[in-house]
Amino acid sequence: MITLTRTGASENVALVTLNRPNALNALCRQLMQELSETLLTVEKDDSYRVIVLTGSEKAFAAGADIKEMAKLEFADVFQNDFFTNWDTLSRITKPVIAAVNGFALGGGTELALMCDIVYAGENAVFGQPEINIGTIPGLGGTQRWPRFTSKSIAMELCLTGDKISAQDAKEVGLVSKVFPTQQLVSEAVLLADRIAKNSPLIVKTVKNSVNSAYETSLNQGLQIEKQLFHSTFATNDRREGMTAFAEKRAPKWTSN
Ligand SMILES: C/C=C/C(=O)SCCNC(=O)CCNC(=O)[C@H](O)C(C)(C)COP(=O)(O)OP(=O)(O)OC[C@H]1O[C@@H](n2cnc3c(N)ncnc32)[C@H](O)[C@@H]1OP(=O)(O)O
């Protein structure tokens, strides 16, 4: 249900594709287990620098598998901590770009919210329709929407289940760029290539620092940023980057 393809100009981009076409990539337990394992494989493999997560042109993911969930009782989901490991994506330290075409509903939108950068195809549709089936978002929708956009947007989406277009998602700040559907994945890989050219060590530090903005007060976040900035001065890559600039040559990163 998941395919992993090595791609990019330097073959260091992991293209991870959700591939369950008969159910519009609905997130069943097996798919999420495979996704988690694939992401952890890529995370551990230094030959991959950046991850692009995508689905099909029709669906990024139509949400958690409703037919699978329909049979469950409170005791099943509570005692087995349903959704354990479904948020592996949010713990990956390499940059993750979501390339979203088609339906990204419920858990599909929530997967996109866990990514670092979201690119969307013109046909993308986002939303949190859980309320229509008598439940609420459970993979971060009620928490990440207000942090990444606003309370009003979060409330409106989660209370109505309304769907929004790629362009609307860009206007509210979920999506950074919108592309024609068929160009989307190649544009996401081009972006991944640009990120992959930088020092992996410093890329990881940037991701760490930006993410701390969502976990801390402004003053704590500024303190973390300053400490991380100082820490780059303990790296060869910082020395190499500044030396290469002064010597008018391209830097050679060693990631130490
Ligand atoms: C914590 C997270 C919670 C959640 O994520 S809850 C789930 C939130 N998601 C939703 O509520 C969306 C459910 N799906 C839909 O509303 C519709 O689908 C769409 C609007 C996305 C697409 O409609 P159309 O183009 O008419 O396709 P189709 O015939 O409905 O779907 C094709 C096959 O895919 C299955 N499917 C779609 N979404 C799900 C899903 N979320 N869980 C399980 N199956 C799904 C259908 O049932 C059907 O299958 P078959 O051909 O066997 O009838």
Side-chain angles (χ1 to χ4, degrees), residues 105-252:
L105 298 176
T109 282
E110 290 169 302
L111 282 186
L113 284 162
M114 286 182 217
C115 294
D116 300 309
I117 299 172
V118 184
Y119 273 10
E122 283 166 345
N123 71 343
V125 178
F126 297 88
Q128 299 290 165
E130 290 88 346
I131 197 154
N132 298 328
I133 54 166
T135 186
I136 72 166
L139 283 173
T142 66
Q143 300 304 302
R144 292 194 173 98
W145 273 110
R147 283 172 171 79
F148 298 175
T149 62
S150 71
K151 176 179 172 182
S152 179
I153 297 288
M155 285 291 191
E156 190 168 341
L157 288 175
C158 296
L159 289 173
T160 63
D162 281 355
K163 300 180 181 71
I164 61 168
S165 67
Q167 201 52 47
D168 289 342
K170 181 167 181 288
E171 272 165 34
V172 299
L174 168 67
V175 163
S176 57
K177 287 189 182 142
V178 178
F179 295 98
T181 300
Q182 291 180 348
Q183 258 173 257
L184 173 71
V185 174
S186 52
E187 289 289 347
V189 172
L190 284 176
L191 174 66
D193 276 341
R194 289 172 50 215
I195 296 169
K197 280 191 182 132
N198 296 317
S199 155
L201 185 68
I202 306 300
V203 163
K204 186 173 176 175
T205 308
V206 168
K207 175 163 172 169
N208 200 352
S209 192
V210 173
N211 277 338
S212 73
Y214 294 100
E215 305 290 346
T216 59
S217 68
L218 177 60
N219 273 330
Q220 287 168 324
L222 291 170
Q223 196 58 33
I224 289 169
E225 182 192 70
K226 198 177 341 175
Q227 283 166 359
L228 288 171
F229 168 75
H230 289 163
S231 76
T232 65
F233 284 71
T235 69
N236 285 334
D237 281 353
R238 192 281 313 167
R239 195 174 304 113
E240 166 66 6
M242 293 187 181
T243 306
F245 174 82
E247 292 176 356
K248 299 185 188 296
R249 62 173 174 81
K252 293 191 188 88

Side-chain angles (χ1 to χ4, degrees), residues 1-3 15-35 53-69 83 86 99-112 123 125 139 184-185:
M1 291 187 191
I2 300 292
T3 57
L15 179 64
V16 177
T17 307
L18 310 183
N19 186 20
R20 193 190 173 203
N22 295 343
L24 302 180
N25 293 332
L27 308 172
C28 60
R29 282 194 250 207
Q30 191 192 332
L31 182 148
M32 291 309 287
Q33 179 65 29
E34 285 181 29
L35 176 61
L53 178 66
T54 196
S56 68
E57 285 188 7
K58 178 148 193 213
F60 180 70
D65 190 315
I66 300 168
K67 295 169 193 167
E68 198 176 67
M69 288 190 297
F83 287 158
W86 284 43
V100 179
N101 268 323
F103 296 110
L105 298 176
T109 282
E110 290 169 302
L111 282 186
N123 71 343
V125 178
L139 283 173
L184 173 71
V185 174

